[in-house]
Amino acid sequence: MLIKLTGGKIYDPANNVSGEIRDIYVEDGKIVAAKPNARPDATYDVKGRIVMAGAIDPHTHIGGGKMTIARMLLPEDHRGDPVTRTELTRAGSGRSVPSTHVTGYRYAEMGYTACFEPAMLAANARQAHMEMGDTPMVDKGAFVMLGSDDYFLRQLAAKKDFNSIKDYVAWTMHAAQAIAVKVVNPGGISAFKFNQRKLDLDEEHVYYHVTPRQIILTLARAIQELGVTHPLHIHGCNLGVPGNIETTLATIRAAEGLRVHMTHTQFLSYGTEGDRKFSSGAARLTELANKTPNVSIDVGQVLFGQTCTASGDSMRQYAISKSAHPKKPVIMDIECDAGCGVVPIRYRDKSFVNAMQWVIGLETFLLFDDPWRIFLTTDHPNGAPFFFYPHLIRLLMDKSFRDDMLQKINPDAQAQSELLKSLTREYTLDEIAIMTRAGPARSLGLKDRGHLGAGASGDITVYRDNPDREAMFATPELVFKNGEVVVKNGKVVKVVQGATHVARPDYDKSIEKPLNDYFDRYLTVRMENFKLADEEIIGGDNGAIIVQPTAARAT
Amino acid sequence: MPSISPRQPKGKRVSSGVFENVVNPFCGTLCDDLVVERTEAGLKVVKNGCSQSVAGFERKLPPANPSVGGKDVALSKAIEEAARLIGKAKLPLFGGLATDVEGMRAVMALAERASGVVDHALSEAQYRNLKILQTTGWTTTTLAETRNRADLIIIAGSDIHRLHPRFFERIVAPPASMFDVTAPKRTIVFIGKGLDRSGAKGAHIGEVVTLACNDDAAGHIVALLRARLRGFRVTPPKRGGVTLADIDALAERCRKAKYGVVVWAPPALDFAHAELAVEQFTGLVKDLNQTTRFAGLALGGAEGAVTAATVCTWISGYPLRVSYASGAPDYDPYRWTIGRMLKDGEGDVLLWIASISPSLVPPPAKVPTIVLGTPGLALTAPASVFIPVGTPGVDHAGRLIRVDNVVSLPLKDLGRAELPSAAEILSAIEAAL
Ligand SMILES: [Zn+2]
């Protein structure tokens, strides 16, 4: 099966193609070099259209226990957005924590072809993958959380051989079917169970006597030496606390040249200036991050409206419970492994703090130089639900629209937004394509995603050029998944099941001996049952597994 | 058709063998350390059994055939008749729902397709919790966290030992714990006088305290406890033998605890407005978390109840009691209660799934009833259509979600009987619509 897209304006930054008119050929699901003499089975005339690879969301909470807790918690979230079954698609509900099928459809209808769940607990991995299995249309993958799990902390505290820690990290990635590793409030989720209410970068965990700095360094080094492409994904200490910009800058410096990804930095870039002792740290963050090439970030932009925050950071989620709206926070301590906090929230443009959060996110985007190291996220649903992405893209691409929106926010926040007002940058289509496709693919190590060169999978999004970038990005004209049209004019026309991407660094299998003893001694699940078999994803969830390459293990 | 880990394809099963790390699907806590032996005589739990797992695994299945109107028919005929009944129904009811993840996925697809209502047989108990979750939120914990960390465990008005015979052995009094929370540090408090306390013993248990109120008064006692913790004067309780001094002593224990866990089982709180008791339990946790650490742990969850609520939530957005009559999920935890609907003559066909234990019979119904049941299901009235199905984790592989809402476990095919899974039958009915 050969298909051809003719005459499109191609934005493919991974292959240095910027707005050139080119034909694209897809054969049996993969993009191939031009075959001018071949007779395609189908031709799509996309003259004047903008063509990009399918978009990739590298940080979106789409699967796992905390999302289903959020769904259970918030029937009111769904009531206003019922989704009716069609001949093609399943019923469900939308809004900020949509049902699984609806999540898949709506991502695809927005031109996305891959989504990565960034906070999978190893203890909850089976359910996270089952939920992602019920999320059609898009490829999936998940980052497993480490750093507050007892086994890791006790090894670190006992100053165990670094190689065995590496083996454990790799083993966990295999067991949980993960593509990357995330650390959330390093050690803090565990510390909260010991009634510590904060844990600074150099503060000791009251029981293990290790610090977040040690945890970050150990994990970042382990990931790097294991050859995992995506660097340690860090949700730092003191999330949401005024003044946390100091911690965040210190965390970046703490990496000591190791590759790290700082996630949803908006929530971690708060200063203490101004009458309200709450100010933007975006300038300081970007100043340091711009000159620190080992660091990538995503923003976690806040956009106004009702949403629900859902995080592994039980310590900080407990702390913000007071601002829950509606007032029903859920906090969980989980399996001596992790935790979670689900706190519904309404971001109001008339609230000073919420308006500042909006400002800080935008400043971060506009001040960060290298689009290859910054990814477009709202940390769905934490900053805003993912369907706000087109709106966010317009804010970044359209200075006058941004200024109009700025007029509507809390006046004190406006008064503290001289910097934002002065930023004239407008993101280009190339930069958007990098930030939403090429960059995440490169960072996650997805060799055949996020670009349109030969060998890439036929995941392609076609937009009608429209100066209103929000409208343009909200409703792609065509979306192809593996070379098949799955969305037309922003509506699903064919339902497909995406693959699950994993990474499998080498490890010494003998680690299962002490691990098995540990499981038997302390835990309530057998090690053999903890591990998620390929067959569960392939047979049980009707899925497929793509093992992305890892580099050779280094010492 | 969904299939998972067909380790032993039908017809090619080994006749004997020993299975390790077997999950017990007959209890919501899903112990997964059982050793089960299979011989020509059937299954035998040889290690880590309990009364429930032994009864479940070792039950001899009576012969059972698909039937229509009480007459044995070929499976295809029964499926056809089930599809016919559902196809002509205006509002089919999908109840029971004692099945695994795969079965729930299939029933959700079928209910959507047939514009029906989904509700689990034990929803009434789960809703004692869900009403509070959806109103106030809560702070909870999980089995392993409790096992390793709790220094105070308050068993509130629920006979946990009877519902979960290994809970004390595995969670309350384990041989080892991570943080050395052992005697004399681990205190166990029972609120209720009818509760089996025999599990609260062992080298690692410190004090065992009982506040002997009537079991249904546990919520009231906890309310008084919360008031005393806040320093209020209260009228002394008139509930069994509990005195104000007992409550004050418990308040002191709570204040001193480093990690307290309040345990209840919604199925045990079988009285009107029991959610108000749950609200007191979760409220106590909330109050104490201001200064120390506390968490709730709700048990129960037999018959795949937690699996049903969870899968229904991620697929529809709501935890059961959902109607697809309009094509989109409509959630109403009062209106779409299948027990009530049957009583009030609502709905026009009932499909009932009872694949786990033989006691989960459908409520009396005037409408035609399609039963997907384990052989030996103690039906009180003949079903319009009966299709014997396998038990997940015994007759076929599958997955279940544990009562603490985090852990899910893989179930093995132990090869007891050649029976289709509920998922297979449901998908076949959907295909025949
Ligand atoms: Zn996140």
Side-chain angles (χ1 to χ4, degrees), chain A residues 59 61 118 182 264 379 382:
Chain A
H59 189 117
H61 299 274
K182 186 189 195 191
H264 43 65
D379 188 14
N382 290 303

Side-chain angles (χ1 to χ4, degrees), chain A residues 66-67 69-77 95-97 305-311 316-331 341-348 354 381-384, chain B residues 132-138:
Chain A
K66 66 186 179 308
M67 298 322 295
I69 290 167
R71 293 176 181 119
M72 260 183 206
L73 180 70
L74 291 168
E76 58 270 52
D77 181 59
R95 269 302 301 173
S96 66
V97 276
Q306 175 71 49
T307 190
C308 180
T309 65
S311 167
R316 293 301 312 153
Q317 289 294 91
Y318 178 81
I320 66 156
S321 294
K322 290 186 285 292
S323 358
H325 178 94
K327 239 179 181 36
K328 42 180 183 177
V330 174
I331 305 294
V342 177
V343 182
I345 210 143
R346 200 172 119 221
Y347 294 112
R348 294 178 304 118
N354 297 163
N382 290 303
Chain B
I132 298 310
L133 172 72
Q134 292 179 342
T135 313
T136 67
W138 62 25

Side-chain angles (χ1 to χ4, degrees), chain A residues 93 124 197 333 335-336 526, chain B residues 32 142 145 259 289 316 406:
Chain A
S93 3
N124 184 243
R197 301 296 170 123
D333 299 321
E335 291 294 276
C336 304
R526 286 288 169 121
Chain B
D32 75 335
T142 64
E145 205 71 64
Y259 195 88
N289 268 321
S316 73
V406 173

Side-chain angles (χ1 to χ4, degrees), chain B residues 145-201:
Chain B
E145 205 71 64
T146 306
R147 168 181 165 119
N148 288 290
R149 194 177 293 281
D151 58 351
L152 173 64
I153 296 177
I154 300 175
I155 311 275
S158 312
D159 196 348
I160 301 298
H161 201 49
R162 191 182 59 77
L163 278 168
H164 305 289
R166 293 185 66 210
F167 181 77
F168 281 86
E169 168 214 324
R170 296 178 75 224
I171 309 301
V172 179
S177 73
M178 284 181 194
F179 311 113
D180 304 320
V181 194
T182 53
K185 291 184 221 159
R186 184 165 271 178
T187 303
I188 316 300
V189 177
F190 289 89
I191 305 182
K193 63 182 168 196
L195 314 181
D196 184 341
R197 291 170 293 166
S198 62
K201 58 171 190 272

